[in-house]
PDB file of all heavy atoms in Angstrom:
ATOM      1  N   GLY B 380      44.996 -21.918  11.088  1.00  0.00           N
ATOM      2  CA  GLY B 380      44.995 -22.431   9.703  1.00  0.00           C
ATOM      3  C   GLY B 380      45.920 -21.634   8.787  1.00  0.00           C
ATOM      4  O   GLY B 380      45.730 -21.593   7.570  1.00  0.00           O
ATOM      5  N   GLY B 381      46.927 -20.989   9.393  1.00  0.00           N
ATOM      6  CA  GLY B 381      47.944 -20.339   8.571  1.00  0.00           C
ATOM      7  C   GLY B 381      47.534 -18.942   8.103  1.00  0.00           C
ATOM      8  O   GLY B 381      46.426 -18.474   8.358  1.00  0.00           O
ATOM      9  N   PHE B 382      48.486 -18.270   7.430  1.00  0.00           N
ATOM     10  CA  PHE B 382      48.294 -16.897   7.003  1.00  0.00           C
ATOM     11  C   PHE B 382      47.309 -16.855   5.838  1.00  0.00           C
ATOM     12  O   PHE B 382      47.534 -17.481   4.789  1.00  0.00           O
ATOM     13  CB  PHE B 382      49.655 -16.334   6.577  1.00  0.00           C
ATOM     14  CG  PHE B 382      49.593 -14.878   6.223  1.00  0.00           C
ATOM     15  CD1 PHE B 382      49.304 -13.931   7.196  1.00  0.00           C
ATOM     16  CD2 PHE B 382      49.802 -14.474   4.919  1.00  0.00           C
ATOM     17  CE1 PHE B 382      49.256 -12.583   6.854  1.00  0.00           C
ATOM     18  CE2 PHE B 382      49.746 -13.133   4.581  1.00  0.00           C
ATOM     19  CZ  PHE B 382      49.471 -12.180   5.555  1.00  0.00           C
ATOM     20  N   PRO B 383      46.193 -16.131   6.010  1.00  0.00           N
ATOM     21  CA  PRO B 383      45.180 -16.132   4.952  1.00  0.00           C
ATOM     22  C   PRO B 383      45.676 -15.382   3.706  1.00  0.00           C
ATOM     23  O   PRO B 383      46.133 -14.248   3.786  1.00  0.00           O
ATOM     24  CB  PRO B 383      43.989 -15.401   5.581  1.00  0.00           C
ATOM     25  CG  PRO B 383      44.458 -14.844   6.871  1.00  0.00           C
ATOM     26  CD  PRO B 383      45.832 -15.293   7.161  1.00  0.00           C
ATOM     27  N   SER B 384      45.581 -16.021   2.565  1.00  0.00           N
ATOM     28  CA  SER B 384      46.090 -15.423   1.335  1.00  0.00           C
ATOM     29  C   SER B 384      45.281 -14.187   0.945  1.00  0.00           C
ATOM     30  O   SER B 384      45.789 -13.254   0.319  1.00  0.00           O
ATOM     31  CB  SER B 384      46.098 -16.432   0.195  1.00  0.00           C
ATOM     32  OG  SER B 384      44.789 -16.962   0.054  1.00  0.00           O
ATOM     33  N   GLU B 385      44.012 -14.155   1.350  1.00  0.00           N
ATOM     34  CA  GLU B 385      43.174 -12.997   1.038  1.00  0.00           C
ATOM     35  C   GLU B 385      43.697 -11.741   1.726  1.00  0.00           C
ATOM     36  O   GLU B 385      43.699 -10.653   1.159  1.00  0.00           O
ATOM     37  CB  GLU B 385      41.735 -13.275   1.498  1.00  0.00           C
ATOM     38  CG  GLU B 385      40.699 -12.424   0.763  1.00  0.00           C
ATOM     39  CD  GLU B 385      39.326 -12.565   1.419  1.00  0.00           C
ATOM     40  OE1 GLU B 385      39.044 -13.649   1.976  1.00  0.00           O
ATOM     41  OE2 GLU B 385      38.568 -11.584   1.427  1.00  0.00           O
ATOM     42  N   LEU B 386      44.192 -11.942   2.972  1.00  0.00           N
ATOM     43  CA  LEU B 386      44.737 -10.821   3.737  1.00  0.00           C
ATOM     44  C   LEU B 386      45.974 -10.265   3.036  1.00  0.00           C
ATOM     45  O   LEU B 386      46.176  -9.050   2.956  1.00  0.00           O
ATOM     46  CB  LEU B 386      45.091 -11.273   5.155  1.00  0.00           C
ATOM     47  CG  LEU B 386      45.751 -10.228   6.059  1.00  0.00           C
ATOM     48  CD1 LEU B 386      44.872  -8.997   6.247  1.00  0.00           C
ATOM     49  CD2 LEU B 386      46.102 -10.823   7.407  1.00  0.00           C
ATOM     50  N   ALA B 387      46.785 -11.203   2.517  1.00  0.00           N
ATOM     51  CA  ALA B 387      48.004 -10.776   1.818  1.00  0.00           C
ATOM     52  C   ALA B 387      47.668  -9.835   0.674  1.00  0.00           C
ATOM     53  O   ALA B 387      48.397  -8.874   0.402  1.00  0.00           O
ATOM     54  CB  ALA B 387      48.755 -11.993   1.292  1.00  0.00           C
ATOM     55  N   GLU B 388      46.544 -10.085   0.027  1.00  0.00           N
ATOM     56  CA  GLU B 388      46.169  -9.229  -1.100  1.00  0.00           C
ATOM     57  C   GLU B 388      45.699  -7.857  -0.637  1.00  0.00           C
ATOM     58  O   GLU B 388      45.832  -6.879  -1.360  1.00  0.00           O
ATOM     59  CB  GLU B 388      45.053  -9.900  -1.922  1.00  0.00           C
ATOM     60  CG  GLU B 388      45.567 -10.983  -2.835  1.00  0.00           C
ATOM     61  CD  GLU B 388      44.427 -11.879  -3.316  1.00  0.00           C
ATOM     62  OE1 GLU B 388      43.282 -11.388  -3.400  1.00  0.00           O
ATOM     63  OE2 GLU B 388      44.704 -13.060  -3.560  1.00  0.00           O
ATOM     64  N   ARG B 389      45.132  -7.796   0.584  1.00  0.00           N
ATOM     65  CA  ARG B 389      44.561  -6.525   1.040  1.00  0.00           C
ATOM     66  C   ARG B 389      45.580  -5.641   1.762  1.00  0.00           C
ATOM     67  O   ARG B 389      45.263  -4.511   2.116  1.00  0.00           O
ATOM     68  CB  ARG B 389      43.356  -6.804   1.927  1.00  0.00           C
ATOM     69  CG  ARG B 389      42.200  -7.345   1.083  1.00  0.00           C
ATOM     70  CD  ARG B 389      41.054  -7.809   1.915  1.00  0.00           C
ATOM     71  NE  ARG B 389      40.455  -6.704   2.687  1.00  0.00           N
ATOM     72  CZ  ARG B 389      39.389  -6.873   3.476  1.00  0.00           C
ATOM     73  NH1 ARG B 389      38.820  -8.070   3.573  1.00  0.00           N
ATOM     74  NH2 ARG B 389      38.902  -5.863   4.165  1.00  0.00           N
ATOM     75  N   LEU B 390      46.777  -6.145   2.017  1.00  0.00           N
ATOM     76  CA  LEU B 390      47.816  -5.335   2.675  1.00  0.00           C
ATOM     77  C   LEU B 390      48.957  -5.036   1.713  1.00  0.00           C
ATOM     78  O   LEU B 390      49.244  -5.809   0.811  1.00  0.00           O
ATOM     79  CB  LEU B 390      48.385  -6.085   3.890  1.00  0.00           C
ATOM     80  CG  LEU B 390      47.489  -6.233   5.107  1.00  0.00           C
ATOM     81  CD1 LEU B 390      48.195  -7.110   6.133  1.00  0.00           C
ATOM     82  CD2 LEU B 390      47.133  -4.892   5.717  1.00  0.00           C
ATOM     83  N   ASP B 391      49.600  -3.884   1.940  1.00  0.00           N
ATOM     84  CA  ASP B 391      50.778  -3.513   1.133  1.00  0.00           C
ATOM     85  C   ASP B 391      52.015  -4.054   1.859  1.00  0.00           C
ATOM     86  O   ASP B 391      52.639  -3.364   2.654  1.00  0.00           O
ATOM     87  CB  ASP B 391      50.825  -1.985   0.993  1.00  0.00           C
ATOM     88  CG  ASP B 391      51.945  -1.540   0.072  1.00  0.00           C
ATOM     89  OD1 ASP B 391      52.702  -2.408  -0.420  1.00  0.00           O
ATOM     90  OD2 ASP B 391      52.077  -0.311  -0.141  1.00  0.00           O
ATOM     91  N   ILE B 392      52.306  -5.313   1.617  1.00  0.00           N
ATOM     92  CA  ILE B 392      53.358  -5.980   2.379  1.00  0.00           C
ATOM     93  C   ILE B 392      54.711  -5.764   1.707  1.00  0.00           C
ATOM     94  O   ILE B 392      54.888  -6.032   0.524  1.00  0.00           O
ATOM     95  CB  ILE B 392      53.073  -7.489   2.519  1.00  0.00           C
ATOM     96  CG1 ILE B 392      51.765  -7.668   3.291  1.00  0.00           C
ATOM     97  CG2 ILE B 392      54.231  -8.205   3.207  1.00  0.00           C
ATOM     98  CD1 ILE B 392      51.261  -9.083   3.317  1.00  0.00           C
ATOM     99  N   VAL B 393      55.625  -5.272   2.509  1.00  0.00           N
ATOM    100  CA  VAL B 393      56.981  -5.029   1.999  1.00  0.00           C
ATOM    101  C   VAL B 393      57.855  -6.263   2.234  1.00  0.00           C
ATOM    102  O   VAL B 393      58.703  -6.600   1.426  1.00  0.00           O
ATOM    103  CB  VAL B 393      57.606  -3.803   2.693  1.00  0.00           C
ATOM    104  CG1 VAL B 393      58.989  -3.538   2.163  1.00  0.00           C
ATOM    105  CG2 VAL B 393      56.728  -2.577   2.521  1.00  0.00           C
ATOM    106  N   HIS B 394      57.584  -6.916   3.371  1.00  0.00           N
ATOM    107  CA  HIS B 394      58.427  -8.047   3.743  1.00  0.00           C
ATOM    108  C   HIS B 394      57.585  -9.035   4.550  1.00  0.00           C
ATOM    109  O   HIS B 394      56.747  -8.643   5.354  1.00  0.00           O
ATOM    110  CB  HIS B 394      59.598  -7.533   4.574  1.00  0.00           C
ATOM    111  CG  HIS B 394      60.546  -8.599   5.004  1.00  0.00           C
ATOM    112  ND1 HIS B 394      61.469  -9.154   4.156  1.00  0.00           N
ATOM    113  CD2 HIS B 394      60.697  -9.229   6.197  1.00  0.00           C
ATOM    114  CE1 HIS B 394      62.156 -10.084   4.811  1.00  0.00           C
ATOM    115  NE2 HIS B 394      61.698 -10.140   6.058  1.00  0.00           N
ATOM    116  N   ARG B 395      57.808 -10.315   4.305  1.00  0.00           N
ATOM    117  CA  ARG B 395      57.032 -11.330   5.038  1.00  0.00           C
ATOM    118  C   ARG B 395      57.955 -12.460   5.415  1.00  0.00           C
ATOM    119  O   ARG B 395      58.797 -12.889   4.634  1.00  0.00           O
ATOM    120  CB  ARG B 395      55.920 -11.837   4.125  1.00  0.00           C
ATOM    121  CG  ARG B 395      55.084 -12.950   4.736  1.00  0.00           C
ATOM    122  CD  ARG B 395      53.887 -13.154   3.854  1.00  0.00           C
ATOM    123  NE  ARG B 395      53.533 -14.555   3.795  1.00  0.00           N
ATOM    124  CZ  ARG B 395      52.586 -15.031   3.002  1.00  0.00           C
ATOM    125  NH1 ARG B 395      51.944 -14.215   2.178  1.00  0.00           N
ATOM    126  NH2 ARG B 395      52.299 -16.307   3.006  1.00  0.00           N
ATOM    127  N   GLU B 396      57.809 -12.899   6.662  1.00  0.00           N
ATOM    128  CA  GLU B 396      58.733 -13.918   7.161  1.00  0.00           C
ATOM    129  C   GLU B 396      57.936 -14.807   8.105  1.00  0.00           C
ATOM    130  O   GLU B 396      57.212 -14.320   8.981  1.00  0.00           O
ATOM    131  CB  GLU B 396      59.831 -13.183   7.938  1.00  0.00           C
ATOM    132  CG  GLU B 396      61.125 -13.933   8.106  1.00  0.00           C
ATOM    133  CD  GLU B 396      62.124 -13.068   8.889  1.00  0.00           C
ATOM    134  OE1 GLU B 396      62.375 -11.908   8.491  1.00  0.00           O
ATOM    135  OE2 GLU B 396      62.619 -13.558   9.926  1.00  0.00           O
ATOM    136  N   GLU B 397      57.941 -16.135   7.907  1.00  0.00           N
ATOM    137  CA  GLU B 397      57.176 -17.034   8.773  1.00  0.00           C
ATOM    138  C   GLU B 397      58.115 -17.666   9.790  1.00  0.00           C
ATOM    139  O   GLU B 397      59.188 -18.154   9.432  1.00  0.00           O
ATOM    140  CB  GLU B 397      56.508 -18.117   7.929  1.00  0.00           C
ATOM    141  CG  GLU B 397      55.891 -17.572   6.638  1.00  0.00           C
ATOM    142  CD  GLU B 397      54.394 -17.842   6.510  1.00  0.00           C
ATOM    143  OE1 GLU B 397      53.883 -18.725   7.204  1.00  0.00           O
ATOM    144  OE2 GLU B 397      53.738 -17.134   5.702  1.00  0.00           O
ATOM    145  N   ARG B 398      57.731 -17.596  11.039  1.00  0.00           N
ATOM    146  CA  ARG B 398      58.530 -18.239  12.091  1.00  0.00           C
ATOM    147  C   ARG B 398      57.619 -19.249  12.790  1.00  0.00           C
ATOM    148  O   ARG B 398      56.891 -18.894  13.721  1.00  0.00           O
ATOM    149  CB  ARG B 398      58.995 -17.217  13.105  1.00  0.00           C
ATOM    150  CG  ARG B 398      60.006 -16.244  12.520  1.00  0.00           C
ATOM    151  CD  ARG B 398      60.389 -15.223  13.549  1.00  0.00           C
ATOM    152  NE  ARG B 398      61.311 -14.259  12.993  1.00  0.00           N
ATOM    153  CZ  ARG B 398      61.656 -13.140  13.596  1.00  0.00           C
ATOM    154  NH1 ARG B 398      61.133 -12.843  14.776  1.00  0.00           N
ATOM    155  NH2 ARG B 398      62.496 -12.315  13.027  1.00  0.00           N
ATOM    156  N   GLY B 399      57.602 -20.432  12.322  1.00  0.00           N
ATOM    157  CA  GLY B 399      56.666 -21.426  12.836  1.00  0.00           C
ATOM    158  C   GLY B 399      55.257 -20.981  12.489  1.00  0.00           C
ATOM    159  O   GLY B 399      54.974 -20.659  11.317  1.00  0.00           O
ATOM    160  N   SER B 400      54.435 -20.863  13.502  1.00  0.00           N
ATOM    161  CA  SER B 400      53.064 -20.455  13.236  1.00  0.00           C
ATOM    162  C   SER B 400      52.921 -18.933  13.238  1.00  0.00           C
ATOM    163  O   SER B 400      51.876 -18.402  12.901  1.00  0.00           O
ATOM    164  CB  SER B 400      52.120 -21.078  14.279  1.00  0.00           C
ATOM    165  OG  SER B 400      52.549 -20.659  15.564  1.00  0.00           O
TER     166      SER B 400
END
Side-chain angles (χ1 to χ4, degrees):
Chain B
F382 185 66
S384 55
E385 203 190 329
L386 177 59
E388 282 164 28
R389 290 172 63 178
L390 289 175
D391 185 358
I392 298 171
V393 181
H394 181 77
R395 177 169 144 186
E396 202 180 307
E397 317 238 341
R398 292 178 182 169
S400 58

